Amino acid sequence: MKMALLIARKEFTEMLRDGRFRGAGAIVFTLLAGALLLGWQSHREVSAQHRSAQEATRAQWLKQGKKNPHSAAHYGVYAFKPQVPLTLVDPGTDPYTGVAVWLEAHKQNEFKYRPAQDATAVQRFGELTGATVLQLLVPLLVILLTFNAFSGERELGTLRQLYSLGVAGSELASGKALGVAAALGVWLAPAAILGSVAIVAASGQSEVVASGPRVAWMALSYLLYFGAFTGISLAVSAWAPSSRAALMILLGFWMGNGLVAPRVASDLAKSWRPSPSAFAFGQQMQTALAKGSDGHDPGARAKALEAELLRKYKVDRVELLPVNLLGVRLQDSENHGNEVFDQSYAALWENFAEQNRVHQVVAWAAPGLAMRSISMGFAGTDFAQHTHFAKAAEDYRRMIQRTMNDELTYRATSTGGPYLAGEELWNRVAPFTYTAPAAGWVAERQAPSLGVVGLWFVAGVVTAGWSARRMRVV
C-alpha cells in the first residue's frame, strides 16, 4: 500500500505539472461551473414563476364569483410541477414532457409549457447542463489522463525499471488510479462545492434537507461511473501495443458510450414498441369517451341511469327524486371518462416503460445510458416521476369534479331556477400540493441502472488489476 501511495503521489505531481492536464481540466471545470450557474438561474426563475402562477390560479379560483358548480368545474385550475433542487444539475425530460397541466371537467389534458417545442434544432443539440458535462466531458478527461498510463511508461522504458524495483502490477495500477482520482478531485471538488452552494441558494432549507439522500445517491453513482472509466482506461493502456492505439480504442469506446449508444437505443426502442402519435392517441380516447354520456344530453347511458335512479328511490318522476339528476349524470360521465383515461394512459405509459427496458438492455454495453437514467431519476426529472406527478394532478382534478358534482347532486334539488354556488364551495377545494417521492422510491426503480454502473465499476477495477499484472514490459 505504501508503494501505491508513492506512485499516486508521483502521478498526481506529474499531472499537475502537465499543461495539457491543466488546460483540459480548466475547460471542463469552466463548462461545469457555467452549466451549474445557468441551471441555478433557470431553477430560481422557473420556481418563482411556478409559485406566482400557482398563487394566481388559486386566487382566480376563489374569486370566480357566483356560478353553477359545473361551470366552475369547467373554469378549472392549473397544477404546476415543483422542481426538485437537483433539477439545476439535470433537467432531464422536463423540457419535453412539460411542467404544468390544466385541470377541468371531462378532460385529462396534456402537459403544457415544454421549452423543447420552442427550441431550434441547434439549441437542442447545444444545450449545456451539468449532467452533460459529467456524463460526457469528465470521462473524456479521464481518458486523456490515463490512456498512456502504462503504454507511455513502456515506450519510455521506465516500466522495466519499476518492475526491477519489485513493484507489483496491482500496486502500480492502484497507485495510478489514486493519482488520477486526486487529479480529478482538483477540478471536481470545487465544482461540487459550487453545485452545493447553488442548490442551497436555489431552494429552501426544507427542500435541501429532503434532497440530501438524492444528492448522496447521485454523487455515489457518478463516482462509480468515473471509477469505471478509470479502470477501463488503465486496462486498455496496459495491453494496447502503443499509446496511440490505446487512445484510439478509448476514444472509440467514449464515442460509442456517449454519442452512438443513446441514438441506437432510441431507434431500437421505437422499432420494438412504437408510440402512437398525439393525434392518434387523442382520437382513440375520443372514440372511447363517445360510448358514454357527457352529462349534458339524454343519451342511452343517461336514460339508463335515470331509470336506475327512479327504481332506487321508488318514484315515477324525475321531479320527485331527492337528488339532482344532472349532478348524478355529470358524475357518471366523469366516472366513465376516468375509466377511459386510466386505460388509455396506462397503456401509453406501459409502452414507454417497454421502451425504457430496451435502453436498460443496451446500457449493459454502454454505461452512459445507465448513468443518464440514474442522474435524471435522482434529479426528479425522469419519466417515472413525471407520471407520478401526473397521477397526483389527475387525482386532484377528480376530487374537484366530485366536489362540484356532489354540490349539484345533493344541494341543487330545487327546480325553481339555476343553482349558483359561491366562495364557500370554492374554499372547500383545498390548494393543490405535491410531494416528490423519496430517494428510496427512486432507487428502487433505478435498481437495474444502478446495477449496471456498479458492475461496470467492479469490472473496471478487476480488469485494470488483471491487465497490470499480465502486461508486456517491452
Side-chain angles (χ1 to χ4, degrees):
M1 186 63 185
K2 183 177 180 180
M3 182 58 70
L5 292 176
L6 289 174
I7 295 171
R9 181 179 178 181
K10 175 252 185 187
E11 291 290 324
F12 177 66
T13 303
E14 288 185 351
M15 288 179 188
L16 290 184
R17 292 173 179 172
D18 191 336
R20 292 170 297 180
F21 164 70
R22 294 198 299 270
I27 291 173
V28 171
F29 172 78
T30 301
L31 290 174
L32 182 55
L36 291 173
L37 289 175
L38 289 173
W40 166 75
Q41 182 181 19
S42 175
H43 183 280
R44 185 183 63 173
E45 291 176 354
V46 171
S47 295
Q49 291 170 1
H50 283 190
R51 286 193 297 270
S52 176
Q54 195 71 60
E55 292 171 0
T57 193
R58 178 63 182 175
Q60 290 172 356
W61 171 261
L62 294 177
K63 303 300 180 182
Q64 61 184 302
K66 287 185 174 295
K67 61 178 59 173
N68 185 277
H70 189 60
S71 297
H74 278 289
Y75 189 77
V77 296
Y78 266 110
F80 294 88
K81 181 163 56 175
Q83 291 195 311
V84 176
L86 283 171
T87 304
L88 65 87
V89 177
D90 193 342
T93 63
D94 281 359
Y96 303 91
T97 55
V99 295
V101 61
W102 181 246
L103 309 176
E104 60 176 326
H106 308 311
K107 297 179 181 179
Q108 185 171 343
N109 290 316
E110 293 183 359
F111 275 68
K112 298 182 178 180
Y113 307 112
R114 290 173 280 188
Q117 286 184 324
D118 301 322
T120 65
V122 174
Q123 287 174 317
R124 290 194 292 268
F125 178 80
E127 184 180 9
L128 179 66
T129 67
T132 302
V133 177
L134 292 171
Q135 293 164 25
L136 287 178
L137 299 187
V138 173
L140 181 58
L141 180 59
V142 170
I143 289 173
L144 296 178
L145 291 176
T146 55
F147 77 93
N148 63 347
F150 292 118
S151 58
E153 297 270 15
R154 185 166 53 240
E155 290 166 350
L156 292 174
T158 55
L159 187 58
R160 179 185 292 275
Q161 296 176 8
L162 287 170
Y163 276 126
S164 69
L165 295 174
V167 178
S170 57
E171 287 183 319
L172 189 57
S174 299
K176 288 184 175 292
L178 290 173
V180 171
L184 284 175
V186 170
W187 297 113
L188 294 183
I193 294 173
L194 179 62
S196 300
V197 172
I199 290 173
V200 172
S203 312
Q205 182 179 358
S206 60
E207 291 178 302
V208 172
V209 173
S211 297
R214 286 174 174 260
V215 173
W217 273 103
M218 181 182 283
L220 176 61
S221 300
Y222 272 114
L223 289 176
L224 292 176
Y225 182 60
F226 301 152
F229 261 89
T230 301
I232 293 166
S233 298
L234 289 174
V236 171
S237 181
W239 59 257
S242 66
S243 294
R244 178 177 295 182
L247 180 60
M248 296 302 295
I249 293 170
L250 290 170
L251 287 179
F253 174 72
W254 175 80
M255 292 180 64
N257 173 74
L259 302 178
V260 178
R263 181 63 189 221
V264 170
S266 179
D267 290 344
L268 286 176
K270 290 178 181 178
S271 300
W272 178 253
R273 286 290 185 271
S275 301
S277 66
F279 177 78
F281 180 72
Q283 288 294 104
Q284 291 172 3
M285 282 205 301
Q286 288 301 320
T287 301
L289 289 171
K291 297 179 181 179
S293 169
D294 64 359
H296 299 284
D297 59 79
R301 185 183 176 99
K303 290 182 178 179
L305 180 63
E306 177 181 328
E308 181 182 346
L309 285 174
L310 293 174
R311 288 193 301 271
K312 177 181 178 180
Y313 291 103
K314 299 179 180 180
V315 294
D316 56 3
R317 288 183 298 151
V318 171
E319 292 80 7
L320 299 178
L321 286 172
V323 294
N324 186 301
L325 179 59
L326 177 59
V328 177
R329 282 179 178 172
L330 290 171
Q331 187 56 46
D332 179 71
S333 173
E334 288 293 332
N335 293 340
H336 172 67
N338 294 342
E339 293 175 0
V340 172
F341 297 145
D342 288 344
Q343 293 173 0
S344 299
Y345 277 98
L348 180 66
W349 290 338
E350 178 58 27
N351 185 282
F352 291 148
E354 289 290 332
Q355 292 182 351
N356 186 59
R357 293 186 186 103
V358 175
H359 283 255
Q360 291 174 348
V361 171
V362 178
W364 287 102
L369 286 173
M371 191 63 243
R372 185 170 66 171
S373 177
I374 293 169
S375 181
M376 290 191 296
F378 289 108
T381 56
D382 63 345
F383 191 75
Q385 283 165 97
H386 173 75
T387 58
H388 187 274
F389 173 80
K391 291 175 181 177
E394 176 62 11
D395 288 342
Y396 183 73
R397 185 192 74 84
R398 296 179 184 186
M399 182 275 291
I400 294 176
Q401 305 317 311
R402 282 195 303 272
T403 303
M404 298 300 106
N405 292 333
D406 285 350
E407 181 74 9
L408 278 174
T409 300
Y410 300 110
R411 299 192 63 178
T413 55
S414 172
T415 58
Y419 179 76
L420 302 178
E423 194 166 343
E424 185 274 332
L425 175 60
W426 318 145
N427 269 304
R428 293 217 305 266
V429 176
F432 175 70
T433 57
Y434 173 73
T435 302
W441 185 93
V442 179
E444 181 180 350
R445 282 151 183 80
Q446 291 296 330
S449 296
L450 289 167
V452 168
V453 172
L455 285 176
W456 269 89
F457 172 78
V458 173
V461 172
V462 172
T463 305
W466 182 85
S467 300
R469 289 192 298 271
R470 288 165 175 77
M471 65 180 169
R472 293 184 300 107
V473 177
V474 292

